């Protein structure tokens, strides 16, 4: 539930192409967040889940921005000639 909530806050929906990939990544990130949490997640579940929600949202946002930046770089790459077509067949 917390993973889907973080992705919803990011503006992603289950119908998005990358949604399932982000869900899988979030499960891995959640494990890391659980292990690195300063307190005891079992004795402080509400504070841990609030912390994890923000952490998952930020991590997903950073990943999305990184991928968009990568896509923008490759989209703007020169194609090889003045007519915009690739040299390759």
């Amino acid at each position: 539930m917390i993973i889907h909530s973080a992705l919803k806050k990011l503006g992603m929906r289950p119908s998005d192409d990358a949604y399932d990939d982000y869900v899988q990544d979030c499960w891995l990130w959640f494990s890391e967040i659980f292990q690195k949490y300063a307190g005891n997640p079992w004795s402080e579940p509400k504070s841990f889940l609030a912390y994890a929600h923000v952490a998952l949202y930020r991590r997903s946002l950073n990943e999305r921005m990184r991928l968009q930046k990568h896509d923008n770089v490759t989209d703007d790459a020169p194609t090889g000639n003045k007519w915009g077509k690739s040299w390759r067949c």
Side-chain angles (χ1 to χ4, degrees), residues 1 26 36 43 47-48 50-52 54 56 63 76-78 81 86 88:
M1 184 73 164
C26 283
K36 292 180 181 179
S43 64
S47 63
F48 167 71
Y51 171 79
V54 171
L56 287 171
E63 180 66 12
D76 295 338
N81 65 34
S86 175
R88 297 179 186 164

Side-chain angles (χ1 to χ4, degrees), residues 15-86:
S15 60
D16 293 344
D17 290 338
Y19 188 82
D20 291 334
D21 293 333
Y22 275 88
V23 169
Q24 289 179 359
D25 288 341
C26 283
W27 277 112
L28 296 173
W29 298 333
F30 184 83
S31 175
E32 292 174 14
I33 293 164
F34 185 87
Q35 292 173 0
K36 292 180 181 179
Y37 185 64
N40 183 348
W42 297 110
S43 64
E44 305 167 347
K46 287 184 181 182
S47 63
F48 167 71
L49 291 175
Y51 171 79
H53 184 268
V54 171
L56 287 171
Y57 166 74
R58 288 181 178 174
R59 185 92 183 250
S60 299
L61 178 63
N62 289 340
E63 180 66 12
R64 194 166 197 190
M65 289 173 55
R66 185 186 69 79
L67 290 173
Q68 285 178 347
K69 182 177 179 182
H70 180 308
D71 288 345
N72 288 341
V73 169
T74 57
D75 287 346
D76 295 338
T79 56
N81 65 34
K82 62 183 177 184
W83 294 286
K85 294 187 179 186
S86 175

